[in-house]
């Protein structure tokens, strides 16, 4: 095992700056998931750690050793790719053993490592097959086995589940997490899939336009998003954002939808009339036949069995999505809803989280 330290990593391609100073400390045995939309810089960051790209400035340290200028083969890492990257003319055994052979490892040791990895991944019966004879899930297991046998200091995963169907992705997601915990190898996992991020990571790095918008545990990112980008990216359906202004000497929010409601957790900094954004997750919207309920004009109903996702508009025209434990048959053209202040996320005019007590 080893630590990974990234210090002020910056990367430009010509006049275009892709990474704007990434700092990250990864503990031994930790699984860090780098997540973000396409073009946010997450894959470039992974390639810099792997040695496939050179940073414009900054340093990469693995186990305390500066590897910024080293070739990939000299970094003691193993990488699992999206496209498996298996040699089609080699058997499963040969694919898993190849990296060890070129390093000069003795054949008895190679056989031991391959056998151990194959047993761990339940692919022992496939060792004589060629990649074309394997399913997508089996190929991904072989790719993981090839990484495991190297016994590296650091695992790098580059969207390894993107080519699998939904059911197999769930299965392989659990398999990767189980193996990583069992092996205790420090790991960096890149994905655009928020479900993978939430279920796999000890901590998440949420990337946005080449910057780390937030680095925190999955539940902290979900429960205390640093800004509106993180809040809108993590969670499905996405968080609702409603326009409001401060009122009551910072003790309340006047919603564009109409009511002025007090904050449930104290005051917010800024004078009355200051523009703010109220975030409410769809699962926290409540249906209630009460005098203070807001009429939601229903535009689309998505039945999901035990619950229903309702898309509509509040007075004033703002869109709102609610996820309610109601059968679709009980949803009429208008639905009375409550936006409980205890479930609010409050952001300032720049989209940054606005903590209570300011």
């Amino acid at each position: 095992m080893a630590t990974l330290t990234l210090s002020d990593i910056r990367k430009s391609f010509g006049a275009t700056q892709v990474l704007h100073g990434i700092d990250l400390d990864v503990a031994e045995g930790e699984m860090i998931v780098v997540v973000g939309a396409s073009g946010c810089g997450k894959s470039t960051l992974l390639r810099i750690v792997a040695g496939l790209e050179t940073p414009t400035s900054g340093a990469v340290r693995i186990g305390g050793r500066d590897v910024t200028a080293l070739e990939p083969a000299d970094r003691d890492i193993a990488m699992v790719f999206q496209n498996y990257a298996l040699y089609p003319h080699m058997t499963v055994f040969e694919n898993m053993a190849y990296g060890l052979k070129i390093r000069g490892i003795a054949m008895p040791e190679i056989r031991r490592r391959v056998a151990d990895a194959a047993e761990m991944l339940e692919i022992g019966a496939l060792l004589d097959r060629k990649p074309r004879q394997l399913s997508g899930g089996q190929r991904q297991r072989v790719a993981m086995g090839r990484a495991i046998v190297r016994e590296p200091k650091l695992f790098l995963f580059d969207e390894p589940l993107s080519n699998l169907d939904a059911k197999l992705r769930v299965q392989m997601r659990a398999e990767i997490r189980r193996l990583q915990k069992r092996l205790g190898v420090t790991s960096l996992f890149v994905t655009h899939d928020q479900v993978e991020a939430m279920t796999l990571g000890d901590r998440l790095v949420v990337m946005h336009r080449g910057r780390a918008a937030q680095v925190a545990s999955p539940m902290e990112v979900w429960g205390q998003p640093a800004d509106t980008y993180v809040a809108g990216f993590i969670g499905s359906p996405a968080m609702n954002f409603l326009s409001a202004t401060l009122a009551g000497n910072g003790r309340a929010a006047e919603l564009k939808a109409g009511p002025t409601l007090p904050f449930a957790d104290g005051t917010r900094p800024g004078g009355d009339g200051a523009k703010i954004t109220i975030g409410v997750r769809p699962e926290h919207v409540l249906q209630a036949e009460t005098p203070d309920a807001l009429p939601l004009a229903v535009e689309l109903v998505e039945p999901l069995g035990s619950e229903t996702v309702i898309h509509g508009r509040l007075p004033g025209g703002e869109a709102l999505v609610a996820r309610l434990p109601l059968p679709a048959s009980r949803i009429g053209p208008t639905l009375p809803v409550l936006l409980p202040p205890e479930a609010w996320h409050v952001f300032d005019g720049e989209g940054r989280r606005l903590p209570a007590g300011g």
Side-chain angles (χ1 to χ4, degrees):
M1 290 191 293
T3 59
L4 169 66
T5 302
L6 307 181
S7 303
D8 195 27
I9 298 294
R10 298 175 184 271
K11 179 64 178 179
S12 297
F13 294 99
T16 303
Q17 189 167 357
V18 177
L19 296 176
H20 300 265
I22 305 297
D23 293 294
L24 181 66
D25 289 304
V26 184
E28 286 191 358
E30 190 175 20
M31 168 74 94
I32 295 290
V33 177
V34 183
V35 62
S38 297
C40 69
K42 59 186 184 296
S43 292
T44 300
L45 183 64
L46 188 79
R47 289 174 63 83
I48 286 173
V49 175
L52 301 174
E53 294 281 357
T54 302
T56 304
S57 63
V60 179
R61 293 180 176 85
I62 298 175
R65 181 176 66 136
D66 190 335
V67 300
T68 313
L70 296 183
E71 293 295 320
D74 299 324
R75 297 190 179 205
D76 200 5
I77 61 171
M79 196 161 179
V80 180
F81 296 92
Q82 176 180 346
N83 62 358
Y84 318 130
L86 301 177
Y87 296 108
H89 63 287
M90 294 184 181
T91 65
V92 168
F93 177 89
E94 290 167 340
N95 266 282
M96 293 173 65
Y98 182 71
L100 301 180
K101 288 175 68 176
I102 63 175
R103 289 166 58 190
I105 305 296
M107 185 52 69
E109 176 64 10
I110 291 176
R111 292 188 182 279
R112 182 192 67 80
R113 291 194 193 185
V114 171
D116 288 349
E119 180 182 2
M120 196 181 305
L121 293 162
E122 299 180 355
I123 55 173
L126 308 178
L127 292 177
D128 293 328
R129 296 189 189 181
K130 300 285 182 66
R132 66 177 179 274
Q133 299 171 298
L134 306 177
S135 67
Q138 289 169 337
R139 292 180 192 180
Q140 193 55 270
R141 279 190 166 85
V142 175
M144 289 170 58
R146 183 180 53 194
I148 289 169
V149 298
R150 293 191 59 186
E151 299 179 357
K153 290 182 179 178
L154 181 66
F155 275 150
L156 302 178
F157 295 90
D158 185 14
E159 304 216 31
L161 307 182
S162 296
N163 291 336
L164 305 180
D165 62 51
K167 182 178 179 180
L168 194 52
R169 287 182 75 160
V170 173
Q171 181 183 342
M172 289 302 300
R173 197 165 66 218
E175 188 77 7
I176 287 174
R177 189 55 169 148
R178 181 183 67 81
L179 284 168
Q180 193 272 336
K181 281 184 170 292
R182 177 175 173 180
L183 296 168
V185 179
T186 310
S187 302
L188 199 64
F189 189 108
V190 162
T191 182
H192 66 275
D193 188 308
Q194 58 164 294
V195 176
E196 285 180 19
M198 291 291 290
T199 54
L200 281 171
D202 294 312
R203 285 188 296 153
L204 309 185
V205 179
V206 185
M207 295 287 293
H208 181 45
R209 295 180 178 174
R211 292 181 170 86
Q214 188 167 5
V215 181
S217 70
M219 291 313 298
E220 185 177 349
V221 169
W222 186 84
Q224 300 180 55
D227 57 28
T228 51
Y229 174 79
V230 176
F233 186 80
I234 299 295
S236 182
M239 183 183 286
N240 297 292
F241 294 115
L242 305 174
S243 300
T245 55
L246 279 176
N249 295 320
R251 294 183 175 86
E254 182 179 352
L255 300 176
K256 180 182 178 181
T260 298
L261 299 173
F263 296 120
D265 56 354
T267 62
R268 293 300 192 282
D272 285 2
K275 292 183 178 180
I276 59 173
T277 298
I278 300 298
V280 183
R281 294 202 180 277
E283 55 268 34
H284 293 154
V285 176
L286 302 178
Q287 187 269 339
E289 300 279 356
T290 60
D292 55 346
L294 294 172
L296 180 68
V298 176
E299 296 180 336
L300 175 66
V301 175
E302 296 180 309
L304 301 177
S306 61
E307 57 187 7
T308 303
V309 175
I310 302 105
H311 301 255
R313 293 195 177 273
L314 293 170
E318 287 189 294
L320 185 84
V321 178
R323 187 169 188 157
L324 298 169
L326 292 174
S329 60
R330 289 181 53 189
I331 309 298
T334 303
L335 184 72
V337 297
L338 295 174
L339 310 175
E342 59 271 19
W344 285 0
H345 300 264
V346 186
F347 305 94
D348 66 16
E350 303 299 319
R352 298 179 296 251
R353 186 173 188 83
L354 201 57

